[in-house]
């Protein structure tokens, strides 16, 4: 805000985000904070909706501290009889300038008098009037910290949909895009004794160039919906590490790589007490990697064994709980710990009627328990990164996971910046979850056009996934060619597992065509799974098997689909659509009422539809 020249300069700014979006925070600064000392900033925040982005445009953040007010309004303080020359920054920071500046200019905001929202949450669920709000919301609070002198401090924000800009003590400290990941900003130098004002502008506007773009079959929640913490580390620290069984069939060769925050040499010590002697990892220029042999008890859905793990470098020590298992493909089969596995799955959104996308631990546990109740072993976390809590819980409960980024439908495949965004979302997800035994598949997309530009885009993502993690399988949910009754997606060339979305019996008549479709898919010589199939039903609506939205119709589709799958030995799994009904603005008929009704349960998970039992008995029969 350059008031000296023209107090109204802000109105000449075309794009208020312009100065805050060039240099996003990315996975390059991601760090493993799971077991580090943390202080939560959850709780009461003042907020305002800001649809025209006046906070960014007019620089409200400049009023965070007396120092930032001084920087902005210095020349106007002589009005109070203060001599400009004597008015140093030190003097200013000892005064409370906000009341004074309020006498100089009319402010369009009042941080402490704004209403209060309890974060984290989806604002849509906080008040009726925000249910459909799309745009920017400004959140602010003050906090005190407990950073020790020799510690570094990082702000961790988890789940800010879709982009956000962060200000601390009046300084812009970073911005981020992508609604499902967590990211870190170093704030060591910015933390002050006493109260620190933080301001976060979150904007969930849908845009063509984003990932996802403007059109999705799910609800666009907004907010800071998972967590906001300060994370403390020593001066030189372990950013992240990757510990995994090498998928070579031996079940004993292990690799551990470690990335430090600084370009130093030395050695790390890896301890897995239950697996014997510690292992030393030489570090050169901040990176180290070691290969060694042990005989861990394999993690599996039936025996989700996890080990205590610790890694030490100098005074830094991080711990984790990690399972060892092998996942690989051999021709058209999927092998878990060397044995054929059928992925008995179901898809789910990260949503609850009450909390939106901001699931409680109980709600996550309920979803994983439902997978078990279905007789399943696999959950597809569609269509964007779900919380890290889910994969940790799946590790403990023994549920295999498919994790996905929202490269959904009509993405701008020709746009390099869109690719950078998608890639970053994938990197954040992989860095966060590559030590989770439960995660076996990274999915790079869902139902996209089969064109060259899309192929190039997706090939890039597949490469990126393999570079960060060569121990898992890469997949995508592909469209079928209905007319030809085949899966001809060129992407299948670069995938380990092919996901097929087919809605025969629902959107498409001709369920009898399914067996041929599966035979055709077998020709690809790769394992494939039915990543989606299903039908909508309003719980309690009864009728005949041909009547849309009845439980009978949904059940019939499940009966027909499972019958076809039973006959096709080449299918290696399925994740029908979907565990429970979910919100979507696309579905407006009288039964749907803005919900997608393909759930096996109602949205509140209180009622099971008939198809739940059809799938359950199919999975039990497979055992
Ligand atoms: C799909 C999409 C999913 C939709 C579903 C449906 O193919 O992948 O996001 O919700 O179909 O219900 O139509």
């Amino acid at each position: 805000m350059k008031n000296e020249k023209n107090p109204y300069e802000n109105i000449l700014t075309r794009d208020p985000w312009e100065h805050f979006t060039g240099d996003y925070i990315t996975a390059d600064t991601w760090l493993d904070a799971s077991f580090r000392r943390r202080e939560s900033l959850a709780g009461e925040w003042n907020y305002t909706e800001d649809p025209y982005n006046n906070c960014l445009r007019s620089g409200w953040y400049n009023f965070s501290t007396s120092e930032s007010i001084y920087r902005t309004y210095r020349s106007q303080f002589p009005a109070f009889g203060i001599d400009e020359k004597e008015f140093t920054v030190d003097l200013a920071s000892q005064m409370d300038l906000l009341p004074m500046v309020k006498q100089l200019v009319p402010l369009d905001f009042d941080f402490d008098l704004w209403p209060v929202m309890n974060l984290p949450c989806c604002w849509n669920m906080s008040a009726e009037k925000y249910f459909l709000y799309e745009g920017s919301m400004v959140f602010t609070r003050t906090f005190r910290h407990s950073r020790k002198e020799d510690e570094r401090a990082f702000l961790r924000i988890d789940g800010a949909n879709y982009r956000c800009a962060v200000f601390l003590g009046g300084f812009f400290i970073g911005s981020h895009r992508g609604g499902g990941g967590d990211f870190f900003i170093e704030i060591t130098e910015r933390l002050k004794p006493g109260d620190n004002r933080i301001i976060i502008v979150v904007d969930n506007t849908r845009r063509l160039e984003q990932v996802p773009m403007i059109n999705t079959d799910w609800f666009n929640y907004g907010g800071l919906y998972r967590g906001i913490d300060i994370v403390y580390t020593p001066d030189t620290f372990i950013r992240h590490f990757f510990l995994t069984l090498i998928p070579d069939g031996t079940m004993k060769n292990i690799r551990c790589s470690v990335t430090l925050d600084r370009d130093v040499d030395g050695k790390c010590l890896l301890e897995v007490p239950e697996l014997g002697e510690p292992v030393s990892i030489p570090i050169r220029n901040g990176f180290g990697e070691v290969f060694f042999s042990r005989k861990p008890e394999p993690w599996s859905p039936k025996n989700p064994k996890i080990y205590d793990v610790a890694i030490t470098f100098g005074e830094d020590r991080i711990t984790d709980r990690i399972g060892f298992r092998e996942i690989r493909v051999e021709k058209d089969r999927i092998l878990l710990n060397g044995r054929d596995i059928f992925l008995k799955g179901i898809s789910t959104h990260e949503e609850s009627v009450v909390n939106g996308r901001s699931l409680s631990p109980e709600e996550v546990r309920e979803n994983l328990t439902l997978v078990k109740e279905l007789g399943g072993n696999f959950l597809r976390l569609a269509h964007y990164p779900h919380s890290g809590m889910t994969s940790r819980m799946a590790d403990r409960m023994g549920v295999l996971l498919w994790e996905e980024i929202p490269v959904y439908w009509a993405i701008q495949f020709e746009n390099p910046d869109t690719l950078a965004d998608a890639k970053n979302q994938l990197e954040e997800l992989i860095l966060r979850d590559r030590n989770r035994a439960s995660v076996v598949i990274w999915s790079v997309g869902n139902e996209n056009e089969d064109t060259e530009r899309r192929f190039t885009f997706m090939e890039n993502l597949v490469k990126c996934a393999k570079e960060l993690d060569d121990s898992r399988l890469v997949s995508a949910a592909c469209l079928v060619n209905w007319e030809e009754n085949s899966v001809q997606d060129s992407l299948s060339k670069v995938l380990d597992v092919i996901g097929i979305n087919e809605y025969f019996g629902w959107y498409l008549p001709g369920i009898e065509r399914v067996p041929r479709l599966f035979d055709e898919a077998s020709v690809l010589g790769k394992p494939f799974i039915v990543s989606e199939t299903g039908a909508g039903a309003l719980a309690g609506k009864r009728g005949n098997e041909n009547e849309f939205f009845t439980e009978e119709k949904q059940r019939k589709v499940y009966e027909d689909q499972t019958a076809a799958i039973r006959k096709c030995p080449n299918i290696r799994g399925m994740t029908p659509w979907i565990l429970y009904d979910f919100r979507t603005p696309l579905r407006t008929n009288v039964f749907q009422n803005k919900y997608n009704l393909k759930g096996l349960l109602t949205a509140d998970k209180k009622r099971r539809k008939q198809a739940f039992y059809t799938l359950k008995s199919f999975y039990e029969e497979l055992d």
Side-chain angles (χ1 to χ4, degrees):
M1 194 185 221
K2 300 183 192 84
N3 296 70
E4 292 90 343
K5 284 188 223 138
N6 171 4
Y8 309 117
E9 194 164 303
N10 62 62
I11 60 174
L12 303 180
T13 304
R14 214 169 256 164
D15 176 6
W17 279 88
E18 193 185 334
H19 301 297
F20 307 105
T21 49
D23 198 11
Y24 287 110
I25 289 158
T26 66
D28 290 347
T29 51
W30 191 88
L31 69 97
D32 184 349
S34 331
F35 294 92
R36 292 196 176 276
R37 190 169 92 76
R38 297 205 231 178
E39 262 167 349
S40 171
L41 297 184
E44 294 188 341
W45 288 60
N46 296 98
Y47 76 94
T48 186
E49 67 270 44
D50 186 19
Y52 291 8
N53 282 300
N54 205 17
C55 176
L56 299 183
R57 195 185 294 280
S58 301
W60 294 349
Y61 45 84
N62 285 323
F63 299 85
S64 297
T65 64
S66 287
E67 206 183 309
S68 62
I69 293 171
Y70 170 84
R71 283 198 308 268
T72 316
Y73 272 95
R74 188 180 169 191
S75 60
Q76 305 203 20
F77 276 86
F80 291 98
I82 299 176
D83 180 344
E84 206 185 331
K85 281 193 209 90
E86 282 168 21
F87 192 38
T88 60
V89 65
D90 283 346
L91 178 64
S93 51
Q94 285 160 30
M95 300 163 71
D96 186 2
L97 295 189
L98 193 57
M100 292 169 79
V101 84
K102 276 183 179 169
Q103 293 173 41
L104 283 177
V105 279
L107 296 186
D108 291 326
F109 60 92
D110 219 331
F111 297 139
D112 293 324
L113 298 181
W114 281 348
V116 163
M117 198 182 288
N118 247 301
L119 297 185
C121 79
C122 295
W123 64 58
N124 320 75
M125 311 316 295
S126 72
E128 188 85 36
K129 61 181 170 179
Y130 297 127
F131 185 67
L132 288 176
Y133 179 69
E134 289 187 323
S136 287
M137 191 74 93
V138 185
F139 296 99
T140 184
R141 64 167 279 177
T142 57
F143 66 89
R144 287 169 179 244
H145 64 90
S146 67
R147 186 178 81 84
K148 297 176 194 138
E149 217 181 305
D150 53 353
E151 276 179 331
R152 292 168 71 185
F154 295 83
L155 184 70
R156 170 178 182 265
I157 298 180
D158 189 6
N161 192 32
Y162 179 86
R163 61 181 180 179
C164 71
V166 189
F167 303 86
L168 184 59
F171 292 95
F172 169 59
I173 57 167
S175 59
H176 180 262
R177 63 179 169 184
D182 60 339
F183 62 95
F184 295 82
I185 308 175
E186 177 151 21
I187 52 173
T188 314
E189 301 300 325
R190 292 270 171 248
L191 285 178
K192 296 275 178 283
D195 283 345
N196 288 260
R197 176 162 299 281
I198 180 170
I199 298 174
I200 309 182
V201 182
V202 186
D203 170 19
N204 74 334
T205 306
R206 288 168 296 116
R207 290 187 178 79
L208 275 174
E209 70 277 15
Q210 290 180 172
V211 185
M213 42 82 76
I214 53 174
N215 186 29
T216 62
D217 187 19
W218 69 81
F219 190 86
N220 177 32
Y221 291 98
L224 289 163
Y225 65 95
R226 284 199 197 125
I228 311 143
D229 305 279
I230 305 175
V231 179
Y232 296 105
T233 72
D235 186 58
T236 300
F237 68 93
I238 300 161
R239 257 193 187 276
H240 45 75
F241 71 99
F242 181 25
L243 177 62
T244 182
L245 261 185
I246 298 168
D248 59 4
T250 62
M251 298 298 295
K252 66 178 170 59
N253 293 328
I254 296 176
R255 182 167 76 99
C256 184
S257 62
V258 183
T259 304
L260 301 189
D261 179 62
R262 295 201 197 281
D263 235 2
V264 291
D265 295 344
K267 69 172 194 261
C268 273
L269 201 66
L270 165 70
E271 293 162 272
V272 190
E274 274 188 83
L275 292 180
E277 289 302 300
V279 178
S280 169
I281 310 170
I283 303 290
R284 293 275 165 276
N285 302 325
F287 178 80
E289 183 173 45
V290 75
F291 297 85
F292 60 100
S293 281
R294 290 287 189 280
K295 211 60 202 120
E297 192 180 323
W299 181 101
S300 71
K302 290 212 171 99
N303 178 33
K305 164 74 186 163
I306 40 183
Y307 290 85
D308 282 323
V309 172
I311 304 205
T312 315
F313 181 83
E315 56 175 313
D316 192 28
R317 179 179 174 84
I318 55 173
T319 58
D320 207 336
R321 312 208 63 213
I322 293 178
F324 296 90
R325 58 100 196 89
E326 184 199 72
I327 190 83
R328 68 193 157 91
V329 298
E330 224 173 71
K331 296 201 180 101
D332 55 3
R333 291 149 62 221
I334 300 175
L335 304 180
L336 177 73
N337 300 327
R339 298 177 61 180
D340 257 308
I341 182 157
F342 185 90
L343 299 170
K344 294 181 290 177
I346 186 76
S347 301
T348 187
H349 268 289
E350 185 176 51
E351 184 180 75
S352 94
V353 177
V354 194
N355 295 320
R357 191 128 298 144
S358 186
L359 295 195
S360 69
E362 293 71 32
E363 287 168 329
V364 173
R365 187 167 305 112
E366 186 181 19
N367 291 352
L368 294 165
T369 307
L370 281 165
V371 175
K372 298 246 157 189
E373 260 184 62
L374 265 174
N377 56 19
F378 186 47
L379 184 60
R380 175 181 175 201
L381 303 180
H383 279 301
Y384 37 74
H386 292 214
S387 83
M389 166 173 67
T390 309
S391 48
R392 284 200 174 271
M393 228 182 257
D395 264 13
R396 289 201 297 276
M397 292 173 65
V399 176
L400 296 160
L401 296 178
W402 154 308
E403 296 203 331
E404 185 165 328
I405 51 166
V407 178
Y408 184 90
W409 291 353
I411 292 290
Q412 276 188 354
F413 295 110
E414 67 284 10
N415 183 341
D417 195 44
T418 302
L419 174 61
D421 187 356
K423 222 167 141 189
N424 185 57
Q425 295 190 43
L426 182 64
E427 286 170 356
E428 284 176 355
L429 176 64
I430 295 180
L431 286 175
R432 193 195 70 192
D433 275 359
R434 63 184 177 170
N435 284 324
R436 305 280 70 83
S438 52
V439 181
V440 286
I441 291 179
W442 304 121
S443 168
V444 291
N446 181 82
E447 296 184 348
N448 316 112
E449 64 188 32
D450 189 11
T451 56
E452 215 168 301
R453 58 185 189 177
R454 178 272 202 145
F455 182 83
T456 311
F457 187 102
M458 299 300 247
E459 196 186 24
N460 249 293
L461 295 179
V462 174
K463 268 194 205 136
C464 163
K466 291 287 178 190
E467 268 161 30
L468 279 177
D469 175 12
D470 53 6
S471 77
R472 285 182 179 76
L473 312 178
V474 177
S475 187
C478 301
L479 288 167
V480 299
N481 181 328
W482 184 52
E483 275 170 23
E484 308 261 326
N485 198 29
S486 69
V487 187
Q488 295 172 330
D489 197 320
S490 56
L491 189 63
S492 53
K493 281 192 275 215
V494 293
L495 301 177
D496 299 313
V497 175
I498 300 155
I500 300 175
N501 287 4
E502 55 88 2
Y503 280 91
F504 283 104
W506 183 251
Y507 294 123
L508 308 173
I511 186 88
E512 64 287 349
R513 300 170 72 181
V514 171
R516 252 232 21 241
L517 172 75
F518 292 162
D519 284 347
E520 284 279 315
S522 309
V523 174
L524 298 169
K526 292 191 174 187
F528 68 94
I529 71 175
V530 178
S531 38
E532 275 178 47
T533 189
L538 179 66
K541 180 170 160 60
R542 314 304 299 267
N544 70 46
E545 291 172 349
N546 298 318
E547 205 182 325
F548 283 116
F549 300 107
T550 62
E551 286 201 31
E552 282 76 6
K553 168 86 182 168
Q554 188 191 38
R555 191 193 67 210
K556 181 73 168 66
V557 168
Y558 271 78
E559 283 167 1
D560 291 345
Q561 287 284 348
T562 50
I565 288 169
R566 200 178 277 124
K567 284 198 218 117
C568 180
N570 296 326
I571 295 182
R572 304 316 311 150
M574 64 190 292
T575 48
W577 196 251
I578 184 168
L579 187 56
Y580 52 92
D581 298 344
F582 60 95
R583 288 194 179 101
T584 167
L586 303 193
R587 317 280 177 176
T588 65
N589 81 29
V590 64
F591 308 118
Q592 296 165 322
N593 197 19
K594 320 265 170 61
Y595 275 85
N596 183 314
L597 297 180
K598 295 192 188 69
L600 296 176
L601 293 95
T602 48
D604 61 7
K605 294 180 243 176
K606 292 208 169 106
R607 292 175 68 182
R608 282 145 207 232
K609 305 180 196 170
Q610 294 176 18
F612 180 93
Y613 300 99
T614 313
L615 187 64
K616 181 173 162 70
S617 58
F618 177 62
Y619 284 162
E620 283 169 359
E621 171 199 318
L622 286 176
D623 279 342

